[in-house]
Each structure stands twice: as structure tokens, then as C-alpha cells.
Amino acid sequence: MGVRVRHSIRRLWPFSQGAITLSRHESVQQAPRRWKSVIESVQRQKEIIQTNGSANYWRGYCTQSTSCVTNRKLKVVTSEDARQVTIFWKDGVESIFHSIWMRNNCHCSECKQDHSGQKLINVGKIKFNTTVRKASDTGDGKLIIQWSDGHNGVIPLDFLYEHTYSDLTNDCRPSSTFDQPKKYPTLDFSQVSSGKQGVLQWLRDLNEFGFCVLKNVPQEDGMVQKAAELIAPVQQTIYGVQFDVVSTPSPINVAYSPVGLDFHMDLIYYESAPGLQLLHCLKFDECVEGGESTLLDLFYVAEVFRKSNPQEFHVLTQIPTTFQKIHYQRENPVHMIYQKPIISLNHRKEITSISWAPSFEGPLSVRPEDVEPYYKAYHIFAEAIKNSAAKLEFKMVPGDLLSFNNRRVLHGRNAFTLNGGIRHLQGCYVNIDEYKSKLCYLSNHLNDKRPIKHVGNQCWM
């Protein structure tokens, strides 16, 4: 069938060799003529990388030259006003860079520290109207540049090739739209704890499906934290480093009681709510009735909602909800209030984050004319969540460890009756950015070229 594309070619992520998979789903043969060279160059680049290895892009800078552009015959042209530089690559791709963009991405030793990869540029000293006086290909994978402010610098061609942002190529990334789950991802804990490959498979399942159940985790106190630390250090919150989900007489959280929990996200009143949540089943006596776990991919629900209710979807991206946790009658008194829209979008109108936690909403505090439109959209969206066919329900057994992306997947549980038994889960959190970092690192380190989906951390990329 050929590579599948959409009517807006978007540059592949560095290291991504996944198909270009967005709307219209046309093959290369069916694509408009002006896109074919771009698509075919992506295919050629994929073949080159598979043959010769991939570049090592570290912290946004190119640190290793590869055959992607090394020895490539280039044509470098500076515009008449010197504000732009155009590079014509051998494969037919044309990249246009603004002079000021190139000045801010200079890789010389004065502008970038080689060991740490951090910028040394004093941006306050750079004028916005800085232009390129001369740009020349050295023949060894670098572009030597002289700027109008007197600075002489260098930018690796690999870096430019991977970070081109021209109109034809700046919209070519894997789709962020999630499909309704087709299978139930599970892994044995022995596989995950055996090495990096097992951890990567776990993180990949979390990225693809939003959740994964680890089986046969030792039923020992603290194992949930040990499992989490295979990914990153545990994120400490107002509930500590580790918490026990068990019914208590005077709970500081409704989860520590036998009542049912509607779909929600945890600690969404934080500026950076926890990313991954891990829940390890230590005990679930057979006499306990109910208590089934429920999950729902909210990104999937929101995409369906966008199509069925575009006006209400738009309202939820514009009018903010108040999330709060105000509780003084606890060992560590809490007063947290955070206002933000339920749905956040980037410049491509893709969903970058969703926040949903009705039990932790404070009074709506918006303009009077926004109240009724908000509540109309809010309750229609709530109904879509309630009636979604994508809901998953299952009963954990001792030794199960449920892990899920708290910034993407809603979780809940059915009410339960103990009948003299015990239902005991132990949980902890992992920061969303540290999870994504580990996923990116292992994917690159282990040469896994599958594209990475949005993780819900509000990043626009």
C-alpha cells in the first residue's frame, strides 16, 4: 500500500521511522505531486538510517554526524535581504531557515557547551534583525556561518536536516489520536525487571494504550515503589512517597473508603499533576464483593467528542475550570487551587492535555456570560464519558500491578463490601516528564524507531 500520509506533510520526529499516519490515509502513489519528493526523501532517510545507524541527537543538539547528510551535495543560498538561508538537499528536499533562528542555534564553543549540551548564548546581546553574511558547506557535515553581528559560528548539517521547519515539512509527525483499545496489555514482572528491553516494552505499552498490568509482582510492602523506580524516582505528593488504598474509618481521601469512585484523574489541582500512577494489589480477599477497577482513555473520548460536539469541545478549551484541594483537618494541611481549561490544544489544534476530576472542582469563577455555555459543554462531555463504549472494567488479584498514565487515562472503581475481608492496594506516582524522558532514552538507546505519542504533559510537540 505504501506509506500512508495526510494532506499536510509533517516532519518525522528525530529517530522516528514510523509511518506518516494522519487523515485522508492516502498512499504515496495517491499523494499530490508536490509532496512526493518529501515523502520519498523520508523513505530514503529511513533506509539510510537502517543501513548506517541513526544520529545521536542529545538535548536538542546534534552530537554525532551520520550519513543522512554527510557527503551530501548541497546548494546553500542566502536571500537578497540576508534574512533567510535556503538549503537544497541532494534528495530534493528544500529547507528554509531564518537568519535569527540560525544565530540562536549556533553550535560553536562560544554558544554551546560541548559536554553538557547547554546553550551559552547571552540572548540579551543578540539583535532580532541579525542576518547571515555568508554561509558555506565545509564538506564534512557542517555549515560555517558569518553573521552581521560579527559572530562566526557553525551548525551541523544533521541538526539542520532534522530540525527543518519549512511549510512542506513542519507538520510531519505521528498522529496523536488514540484508537479505542483493542487489547488488554499485560506483562509479567519478571520480564520487566530483567533489563532495559523489558522496561522499554512496559513504557511502550503505556504510551500506546495508556495503561499496562504487570502480573506476578511479589506481594511485599514497598514493591510498588521498587517497580516505579525502574522508570524514575517516585514523585512525592501530599500523600507522601507511597500510599495505601485501604478502607479506614475517617479517610482523608474518598478513595480510602468503600464507596465507588467515578472516573477521574488524581491530584489534578497540582500545576504538574502526577504522570504515571502505579497501584499494586497486596490483598483482595475472595469474600470482598465489588471493588472492580475501571479505566477509560480520555484522549480517545475527547477526539470522538470533538467530532460530535465541536462547539462544546471549543468551549472546554477556552473557559477554565477551578480544581482545588482544601483540607486543613489532616496531618499535612493542604490549600491548593488551580484554574485551567479542561482541554488544552497546541498550535496544530492537537490535544496536549486534559484535566478531569469532578470531585476536586471548586466553584466556577468566570465571566457571567461564560457560565451557561460552560456548564452546557461540561455536562455534555460528562455524559460522553459516562456512555463511552471504550470503558474497561476488571478485578485485580493479589500480585497485579496496574500502571496507567494519569494525564491521559481516567480511573475509577466500583463500590465494595468487605464482608470481614481486606482489599489493600499500595500506590505511588512517577512524574510525567521523567516517564517520557525514560521512554525516549530507551527507545533511542535500544534502537526502537516507533513514534512516540503525546503523553498529556501539555508539551506542544
Side-chain angles (χ1 to χ4, degrees):
M1 292 179 61
V3 175
R4 295 163 70 83
V5 302
R6 83 168 190 174
H7 277 191
S8 181
I9 302 304
R10 309 202 307 176
R11 180 176 60 82
L12 288 176
W13 293 60
F15 302 104
S16 169
Q17 294 184 31
I20 307 171
T21 56
L22 289 174
S23 63
R24 294 297 293 270
H25 299 294
E26 296 179 326
S27 67
V28 173
Q29 290 73 23
Q30 297 170 314
R33 180 179 301 175
R34 73 179 189 277
W35 297 340
K36 287 186 178 180
S37 63
V38 179
I39 301 167
E40 290 168 355
S41 70
V42 170
Q43 291 177 311
R44 286 195 294 272
Q45 182 178 348
K46 175 180 177 180
E47 294 170 356
I48 291 170
I49 293 175
Q50 288 175 333
T51 303
N52 300 292
S54 63
N56 174 25
Y57 290 91
W58 183 42
R59 301 183 185 179
Y61 283 89
C62 175
T63 60
Q64 176 180 325
S65 179
T66 72
S67 58
C68 287
V69 294
T70 302
N71 300 322
R72 182 186 299 277
K73 293 182 180 179
L74 302 172
K75 181 180 179 182
V76 182
V77 178
T78 303
S79 63
E80 290 185 7
D81 59 7
R83 293 173 57 195
Q84 295 180 343
V85 173
T86 302
I87 299 178
F88 298 89
W89 307 97
K90 185 178 180 182
D91 58 14
V93 174
E94 176 183 328
S95 301
I96 300 175
F97 299 95
H98 291 79
S99 296
I100 188 61
W101 184 95
M102 300 180 84
R103 181 65 186 90
N104 276 274
N105 285 282
C106 179
H107 277 57
C108 79
S109 59
E110 293 181 20
C111 297
K112 171 222 160 183
Q113 189 177 68
D114 185 59
H115 179 70
S116 69
Q118 292 179 236
K119 284 186 175 183
L120 301 175
I121 298 175
N122 184 337
V123 295
K125 293 183 177 181
I126 296 178
K127 303 300 182 182
F128 75 92
N129 57 353
T130 299
T131 58
V132 170
R133 286 181 175 173
K134 183 180 180 181
S136 56
D137 174 20
T138 63
D140 61 352
K142 298 177 183 178
L143 195 68
I144 300 297
I145 304 174
Q146 296 178 9
W147 279 279
S148 60
D149 61 2
H151 183 72
N152 296 324
V154 60
I155 303 179
L157 293 172
D158 284 332
F159 177 85
L160 294 172
Y161 192 77
E162 288 294 334
H163 294 278
T164 183
Y165 56 90
S166 304
D167 289 345
L168 269 180
T169 55
N170 70 354
D171 203 27
C172 174
R173 303 183 332 163
S175 170
S176 65
T177 302
F178 300 101
D179 294 326
Q180 184 173 342
K182 299 294 193 304
K183 67 178 183 178
Y184 188 95
T186 62
L187 291 170
D188 195 90
F189 182 66
S190 62
Q191 178 183 350
V192 172
S193 59
S194 64
K196 293 179 179 178
Q197 194 66 54
V199 174
L200 175 59
Q201 185 58 56
W202 181 21
L203 300 185
R204 276 292 180 184
D205 283 348
L206 285 166
N207 187 243
E208 180 67 25
F209 304 103
F211 75 103
C212 180
V213 176
L214 303 186
K215 308 293 287 187
N216 302 312
V217 179
Q219 298 165 50
E220 303 170 6
D221 180 78
M223 278 304 301
V224 68
Q225 183 174 342
K226 291 180 181 179
E229 288 172 346
L230 293 173
I231 303 173
V234 171
Q235 179 178 349
Q236 184 165 347
T237 70
I238 58 174
Y239 296 102
V241 173
Q242 183 177 282
F243 52 88
D244 292 277
V245 183
V246 61
S247 184
T248 60
S250 301
I252 62 171
N253 187 296
V254 69
Y256 304 160
S257 68
V259 303
L261 301 177
D262 291 332
F263 281 127
H264 67 285
M265 294 172 168
D266 276 11
L267 281 64
I268 214 67
Y269 40 80
Y270 271 70
E271 186 274 334
S272 182
L276 300 184
Q277 180 168 175
L278 289 77
L279 291 170
H280 180 208
C281 183
L282 292 175
K283 198 160 187 178
F284 204 133
D285 292 339
E286 292 184 5
C287 62
V288 176
E289 298 179 11
E292 295 84 3
S293 299
T294 56
L295 297 175
L296 180 63
D297 188 341
L298 190 55
F299 270 56
Y300 170 77
V301 175
E303 289 294 354
V304 174
F305 186 73
R306 188 208 298 253
K307 295 177 182 177
S308 62
N309 298 82
Q311 181 58 41
E312 286 73 23
F313 179 91
H314 177 72
V315 167
L316 295 181
T317 68
Q318 300 299 308
I319 303 176
T321 300
T322 302
F323 297 98
Q324 67 178 39
K325 171 71 173 178
I326 301 176
H327 191 185
Y328 293 178
Q329 287 72 43
R330 65 197 308 274
E331 184 179 353
N332 177 26
V334 177
H335 191 123
M336 292 187 180
I337 302 176
Y338 199 87
Q339 190 180 51
K340 55 186 172 182
I342 288 175
I343 301 172
S344 296
L345 306 177
N346 63 13
H347 55 303
R348 290 181 292 268
K349 303 303 179 183
E350 295 171 323
I351 298 174
T352 60
S353 69
I354 311 181
S355 302
W356 187 259
S359 295
F360 294 97
E361 291 177 8
L364 188 67
S365 181
V366 297
R367 299 177 303 177
E369 60 268 30
D370 289 336
V371 173
E372 289 185 341
Y374 169 82
Y375 277 116
K376 177 186 176 183
Y378 174 83
H379 286 291
I380 293 176
F381 188 49
E383 186 176 357
I385 292 172
K386 178 183 177 181
N387 297 330
S388 176
K391 172 183 175 181
L392 298 174
E393 181 177 305
F394 55 93
K395 196 165 189 175
M396 296 179 71
V397 298
D400 284 355
L401 190 154
L402 170 63
S403 56
F404 60 91
N405 185 342
N406 181 61
R407 305 289 285 273
R408 166 185 167 186
V409 175
L410 299 178
H411 68 288
R413 71 152 186 249
N414 296 337
F416 60 90
T417 304
L418 292 175
N419 295 321
I422 296 175
R423 181 186 185 273
H424 183 190
L425 307 182
Q426 203 163 66
C428 66
Y429 303 108
V430 172
N431 178 273
I432 191 69
D433 299 303
E434 295 197 47
Y435 152 64
K436 183 180 179 182
S437 172
K438 190 61 169 281
L439 172 59
C440 291
Y441 161 70
L442 288 179
S443 295
N444 296 333
H445 181 68
L446 298 176
N447 207 35
D448 185 326
K449 302 300 182 181
R450 289 173 291 175
I452 295 173
K453 294 181 177 180
H454 279 301
V455 299
N457 65 341
Q458 302 184 66
C459 178
W460 279 31
M461 294 181 67

